[in-house]
Amino acid sequence: MTRKQRRLTLIGSAGVVLGAALGLVLYALSGEIALFKTPTEIVEAKAGFAERLRIGGLVEEGSVVRSEAATVSFAVTDTVNAVPVTYVGLLPDLFREGQGVVVEGRLDGAGIFRADNVLAKHDERYMPKEVVDSLKAQGVWEGEGGKAAN
Amino acid sequence: MLKSVTDLANPTRFLAFTAKALPVLVGLTLALFAVGLYGALVLAPPDYQQGETVKIMFIHVPAAWLSMFTYGLMTVSALGTLVWRHPLADVAARAAAPIGAAFTFLALVTGSLWGKPMWGTWWIWDARLTSVLILFIMYLGLLALWRTVEEPTRAAKLAAILILVGSVNLPIIKFSVDWWNTLHQPASVFRMDGPTIDGSMLWPLLVMALAFTALMLTLHLMAMRNEILRRRVRSLGLAAAGGVA
């Protein structure tokens, strides 16, 4: 082995060890790194969460109710389970039924999520309005949310 | 002219070659930006959801790609320093760092400006945004390291090791949106099932990406030339002061 090959082997093996260690750390922390919990995780945990948390999913079709004083209630769904949410304040422009959202706040005793912040999740699709209209006209449009917010 | 690429290992030949190559590269950069900006700002239609805010993407996405490309280039240079002791490898890495930092900063700022109207927040600690912030801090840390260590070969070695350690962040940035749930959307261009951007917006984006790449290479060659000259001035100064080089 030449000195160059030895140095390359040393760096390569250090890289493999470092990569493996980091992979294990990230895997162990994946629950912490995830930005939000899904409605199913909330429903299955049942006991409720005392701490502040984020829930991500789609705004359920037909669930948005606007009442006086800028109060909005809606449900966040992952198409399997849904969590009811109430929120007082201004909503982002992209907020609408079927849109992916992330809500921040706390669960109250009755299982209703009191959000103090609502963020809209944008999907990875970019296209002009005319293309969307023509897709809708042909009946091949997959809907606003596409796949459920992952 | 050059016989092979390895001739560029010699700093003098490198200076002679880049003196000829740079004007061509500058012209190419200007031409690509002219086409890319016209396509992005004038020809590309507004998005069905974002309206005109989509224009930010034409700066944000190429800047983000280049922030990672530049770090990749530095990773190759770091191997060149550590394994082959290539005389220009550390010059290349050092010259690239401020450029990479600038692209990363641009990606973070434009992303923030887009995030406020679209998401409803300037910043969120999701996996993508956080890993790109770490990339920015890596660039700043490397720049600080080069400045702190006086002795050039020691500085080169330490910086190369730090660059290699930091390179594990590149796959994390790329796949953060697939491995964890994030507010940031998944990839739209480099994905298994093909781009999810309409052709009318995709071509200006790709031309802008080429323009950013040409800009990066231009700035990098200029910075490398300056770095070579700076090192010559330094060793001449040392020689004059100590009588030996």
Side-chain angles (χ1 to χ4, degrees):
Chain A
M1 239 193 215
T2 65
R3 286 170 62 188
K4 278 171 196 169
Q5 281 170 331
R6 211 162 50 230
R7 291 197 289 256
L8 198 57
T9 318
L10 179 71
I11 292 170
S13 36
V16 169
V17 171
L18 182 70
L22 189 83
L24 289 173
V25 169
L26 292 178
Y27 183 73
L29 288 177
S30 54
E32 310 297 318
I33 296 171
L35 184 72
F36 51 79
K37 296 188 182 306
T38 63
T40 300
E41 285 171 320
I42 301 293
V43 170
E44 281 173 358
K46 284 193 179 83
F49 296 85
E51 74 275 26
R52 264 177 69 80
L53 63 138
R54 297 195 191 96
I55 303 177
L58 304 175
V59 179
E60 195 164 47
E61 297 284 347
S63 71
V64 178
V65 178
R66 291 169 201 267
S67 40
E68 80 294 347
T71 304
V72 188
S73 63
F74 55 93
V76 172
T77 175
D78 54 9
T79 68
V80 180
N81 287 293
V83 173
V85 179
T86 63
Y87 173 68
V88 182
L90 289 173
L91 290 163
D93 293 350
L94 286 180
F95 182 90
R96 60 184 174 229
E97 292 182 355
Q99 174 71 34
V101 289
V102 175
V103 292
E104 286 184 291
R106 287 170 201 280
L107 276 173
D108 69 6
I112 294 171
F113 192 79
R114 307 251 172 225
D116 50 47
N117 199 9
V118 174
L119 303 172
K121 200 166 155 24
H122 188 268
D123 62 28
E124 68 278 21
R125 287 179 299 179
Y126 298 78
M127 54 184 88
K129 196 173 174 311
E130 300 77 55
V131 175
V132 176
D133 291 342
S134 107
L135 285 177
K136 281 179 177 163
Q138 293 165 36
V140 291
W141 178 243
E142 290 167 10
E144 300 298 332
K147 56 178 180 169
N150 48 352
Chain B
M1 252 341 251
L2 295 168
K3 286 188 205 77
S4 78
V5 183
T6 48
D7 276 7
L8 288 175
N10 179 313
T12 308
R13 285 199 208 107
F14 177 86
L15 286 177
F17 173 73
T18 49
K20 287 188 193 118
L22 265 172
V24 180
L25 212 47
V26 170
L28 184 69
T29 306
L30 290 175
L32 283 167
F33 265 109
V35 176
L37 284 173
Y38 185 72
L41 300 180
V42 181
L43 297 181
D47 180 71
Y48 78 107
Q49 293 190 85
Q50 307 169 46
E52 297 289 349
T53 317
V54 71
K55 306 285 188 202
I56 295 176
M57 173 189 72
F58 296 110
I59 303 293
H60 173 75
V61 173
W65 283 345
L66 263 293
S67 73
M68 293 174 70
F69 174 82
T70 307
Y71 202 93
L73 191 146
M74 287 168 65
T75 306
V76 176
S77 303
L79 285 176
T81 301
L82 290 178
V83 179
W84 289 280
R85 307 279 152 92
H86 198 298
L88 280 180
D90 182 57
V91 172
R94 185 165 186 175
I99 304 170
F103 280 127
T104 316
F105 184 72
L106 186 61
L108 287 168
V109 169
T110 50
S112 187
L113 292 174
W114 183 88
K116 185 60 184 171
M118 290 298 118
W119 292 338
T121 183
W122 300 105
W123 181 262
I124 189 160
W125 293 99
D126 83 349
R128 172 57 72 81
L129 276 65
T130 308
S131 55
V132 174
L133 183 66
I134 291 171
L135 177 69
F136 183 60
I137 295 169
M138 281 299 303
Y139 278 125
L140 298 188
L142 281 163
L143 287 170
L145 182 65
W146 268 303
R147 279 174 179 266
T148 315
V149 183
E150 289 260 333
E151 211 264 300
T153 48
R154 215 170 94 79
K157 213 171 182 178
L158 288 174
I161 293 170
L162 186 57
I163 291 170
L164 288 185
V165 171
S167 68
V168 297
N169 195 21
L170 292 181
I172 297 179
I173 293 175
K174 166 67 188 156
F175 296 110
S176 55
V177 289
D178 303 319
W179 290 343
W180 303 291
N181 60 46
T182 54
L183 190 61
H184 194 286
Q185 54 269 47
S188 296
V189 179
F190 295 117
R191 46 186 294 138
M192 302 298 276
D193 53 352
T196 52
I197 299 186
D198 189 71
S200 58
M201 298 177 196
L202 184 59
W203 78 260
L205 177 64
L206 295 179
V207 176
M208 284 300 284
L210 287 177
F212 268 68
T213 310
L215 175 67
M216 188 268 155
L217 294 176
T218 306
L219 293 174
H220 188 226
L221 288 185
M222 286 175 170
M224 277 182 76
R225 290 171 61 84
N226 290 345
E227 183 66 23
I228 291 169
L229 296 177
R230 197 177 297 124
R231 286 177 189 203
R232 284 188 179 172
V233 168
R234 183 178 183 277
S235 45
L236 284 176
L238 286 178
V244 279

